Amino acid sequence: MWEEKNRQNEFETVFIREEIEKCETLEELKEYIFPMVHTQQEEWARKVNEIIEEGGFTKSGFAKLCGVSRVTVDKWCKGSVPKNREKFIRIGMVAGYSLDKLNQLLQRYGRYPALYSKSLEDCVCIYVTNQGYGKETIEKYDYIMDKIEKNIIRDDAETVANITTEKFDAKLSQVSGEEELEQFIADNSAMFLNAYHKLYAYIKTTIDVNYMDPKHACSINEMAVIQGWSSSLRQCVSDIRQNKWYPTRNKIISLGLHLSMEHDQIDYMLELAHMEPLCAKNIFESVIIYILEDASLNDILNIDSDDYDPDELCTYARQILSSLNLPEVEDFISELPEVYDEW
């Protein structure tokens, strides 16, 4: 039943994406697409109320299990989205979700990466989720993480032999018992420290190859000043250069806009961060897709053009986004106030 529902959702997403590509103006997007999609807040309110109802929880009981106040749960039920990935993971554990459903919760409703075995915390989460601990899952997760955090040394990442995520997942699936898990993590500590190296490398290459041109900017700092980057976005790039950034979805999208990336390039960044591609069924991301498709049609993204301006996509995106009264757009702009307020 759940798999059938998933296939239907995928079909609807493809259909809406194709319809977005047909829109020639923002007014057409509003008229034909917006009625078919929902805000993240609307989707989340429906989902969390469904979890509470199907699990037979009281709001107070649910709040206690999730480690939050009853007031917070009330806000969730009205559409306030949890502000960090860990909360979504805990909610999924409380709901007793399988690994697939927990990943769907993270990606679709939280817009965070799916659980990733090469991330230390996620590795433990995958292990306890697959053990079927039921209501004790969170307690077991906290207990194991506390033991491991006291023993693992998080030092500068060393070079490690490349191993596919599929093979690493297979190795983790063979772990039996907490002692084996601790040994597995100790043996693979360098792998955990290199979890997002492909994403870092791709972003660094994009910056170095396409933007470190005296015609546009001589350094990342100069480009940031020219484009009016916020301190948080500059910190993001600094962390990427030091291989220590933990990717968030909106920051990846924002970075893609600032680096004049095409739709497929932003999707590729999201893939490297173990996230779903831009989602046509999300009202905010439907606007981002429209912006990117329209920019491509109007040659804004052609870096080989004599008229290419690395600031133009951001300027255009700001004009479109600031004209819309949508909660997710407001959140996106407020995350990077200096970028949008100073154009």
Side-chain angles (χ1 to χ4, degrees), residues 58-331:
T58 64
K59 287 185 178 179
S60 295
F62 187 70
K64 184 176 181 180
L65 290 169
C66 292
V68 298
S69 68
R70 162 64 191 268
V71 172
T72 296
V73 172
D74 281 335
K75 290 180 179 178
W76 289 350
C77 291
K78 294 176 182 177
S80 177
V81 181
K83 298 301 183 184
N84 61 69
R85 184 171 179 266
E86 179 68 16
K87 281 289 182 286
F88 278 97
I89 291 174
R90 288 181 171 271
I91 290 166
M93 287 180 176
V94 169
Y97 276 175
S98 65
L99 193 56
D100 285 343
K101 293 186 74 173
L102 181 49
N103 281 332
Q104 185 194 51
L105 184 75
L106 281 168
Q107 293 180 297
R108 183 162 299 167
Y109 298 96
R111 301 171 71 231
Y112 287 108
L115 292 171
Y116 179 42
S117 61
K118 293 181 181 178
S119 164
L120 172 58
E121 292 81 1
D122 287 7
C123 176
V124 177
C125 186
I126 290 169
Y127 172 80
V128 296
T129 299
N130 284 335
Q131 295 306 304
Y133 287 120
K135 292 182 178 180
E136 298 178 357
T137 300
I138 290 179
E139 289 83 356
K140 185 63 72 171
Y141 169 79
D142 288 338
Y143 171 74
I144 294 175
M145 276 305 305
D146 184 59
K147 287 179 64 178
I148 289 172
E149 289 282 2
K150 290 176 180 176
N151 294 303
I152 193 168
I153 300 174
R154 292 178 182 259
D155 217 337
D156 290 337
E158 60 186 74
T159 301
V160 294
N162 187 35
I163 177 173
T164 66
T165 303
E166 290 75 16
K167 289 183 178 179
F168 199 74
D169 287 343
K171 288 175 63 177
L172 176 58
S173 69
Q174 295 171 8
V175 171
S176 176
E178 292 172 27
E179 290 186 5
E180 281 193 24
L181 178 66
E182 290 176 40
Q183 187 60 51
F184 175 81
I185 288 172
D187 292 344
N188 292 281
S189 58
M191 183 69 73
F192 294 122
L193 291 167
N194 283 278
Y196 294 101
H197 69 281
K198 288 185 179 180
L199 174 63
Y200 301 149
Y202 182 70
I203 295 173
K204 289 176 191 175
T205 299
T206 302
I207 291 173
D208 293 340
V209 171
N210 295 334
Y211 295 90
M212 295 302 97
D213 180 340
K215 178 181 177 183
H216 303 307
C218 296
S219 69
I220 186 66
N221 287 332
E222 183 179 340
M223 181 171 68
V225 170
I226 292 170
Q227 292 191 343
W229 288 24
S230 70
S231 58
S232 64
L233 194 62
R234 295 187 201 195
Q235 185 62 50
C236 161
V237 173
S238 174
D239 288 346
I240 288 169
R241 288 186 174 275
Q242 297 176 63
N243 296 332
K244 65 179 186 180
W245 182 53
Y246 190 87
T248 58
R249 189 172 182 87
N250 271 4
K251 195 72 79 179
I252 288 175
I253 295 172
S254 177
L255 193 58
L257 292 176
H258 282 82
L259 297 180
S260 295
M261 287 186 172
E262 297 183 2
H263 188 166
D264 61 345
Q265 290 179 295
I266 293 179
D267 277 351
Y268 184 58
M269 278 203 298
L270 291 168
E271 178 186 340
L272 292 177
H274 314 286
M275 302 181 191
E276 294 179 324
L278 289 170
C279 180
K281 292 180 70 175
N282 176 282
I283 197 165
F284 165 66
E285 294 190 16
S286 73
V287 177
I288 297 295
I289 292 171
Y290 168 80
I291 289 169
L292 294 171
E293 296 295 337
D294 199 52
S296 181
L297 286 172
N298 288 288
D299 221 26
I300 291 175
L301 306 178
N302 182 7
I303 63 173
D304 296 323
S305 170
D306 292 336
D307 298 324
Y308 173 69
D309 179 356
D311 300 343
E312 191 171 359
L313 178 60
C314 255
T315 303
Y316 176 57
R318 184 223 179 231
Q319 290 171 347
I320 297 295
L321 291 170
S322 61
S323 71
L324 300 172
N325 184 26
L326 296 171
E328 288 173 78
V329 170
E330 292 174 5
D331 289 344

